[in-house]
Amino acid sequence: MEAVRVYADIHGLSPEAYEEIRHSMPFDQVVYKNAILNVDFEGHYIDVEPFLNDVARLLSPGGWGKLDYIDQIDYALTRYVIVPGSYRHVDVHVDAVVEGVNQEAGV
């Protein structure tokens, strides 16, 4: 099993901003199209905060994003919400997420 998974959707990242960060991103699978950056990563532990700082600094006015960092060893999810100039995070135990999905599905 991989140590972490990271998924992100970032809206409002200009082509110039994307060019500025694309070589320093710690992710191997990204798609950038129409000012939207999608990230999909599975692998070793990585520090996403330098990336989040860059994205927050470069987001266009009205831009926004979210990044989910899933620690599969400690069974924890950290959700980052990104807006122009800053980001914040909330830590969620994965059981809370799975239980909510199960209740919605009637399991």
Side-chain angles (χ1 to χ4, degrees), residues 3 16 24 28 30 37-38 43 51 57 59-60 63-64 70 72 76 79 81 83 89 92-93 95 102 106:
E16 296 80 15
S24 63
D28 52 4
V30 301
L37 176 65
N38 301 109
F51 169 75
R57 177 177 55 83
L59 268 181
S60 301
W64 62 276
I70 303 164
Q72 298 188 125
R79 170 157 291 170
V81 177
V83 295
H89 75 277
V92 179
H93 195 275
D95 280 341
N102 286 341

Side-chain angles (χ1 to χ4, degrees), residues 35-46:
I36 300 171
L37 176 65
N38 301 109
V39 172
D40 186 349
F41 174 84
E42 295 182 30
H44 55 84
Y45 285 103
I46 57 173

Side-chain angles (χ1 to χ4, degrees), residues 15-89:
E16 296 80 15
Y18 174 69
E19 281 301 315
E20 184 174 332
I21 65 169
R22 75 183 187 103
H23 295 295
S24 63
M25 287 189 288
F27 312 112
D28 52 4
Q29 293 182 0
V30 301
V31 174
Y32 177 77
K33 185 177 178 181
N34 299 326
I36 300 171
L37 176 65
N38 301 109
V39 172
D40 186 349
F41 174 84
E42 295 182 30
H44 55 84
Y45 285 103
I46 57 173
D47 182 5
V48 296
E49 292 196 3
F51 169 75
L52 294 167
N53 284 324
D54 286 342
V55 168
R57 177 177 55 83
L58 294 168
L59 268 181
S60 301
W64 62 276
K66 69 172 184 60
L67 181 143
D68 287 342
Y69 185 97
I70 303 164
D71 182 330
Q72 298 188 125
I73 306 301
D74 288 339
Y75 210 54
L77 164 70
T78 302
R79 170 157 291 170
Y80 295 90
V81 177
I82 313 154
V83 295
S86 67
Y87 67 90
R88 62 183 172 80
H89 75 277

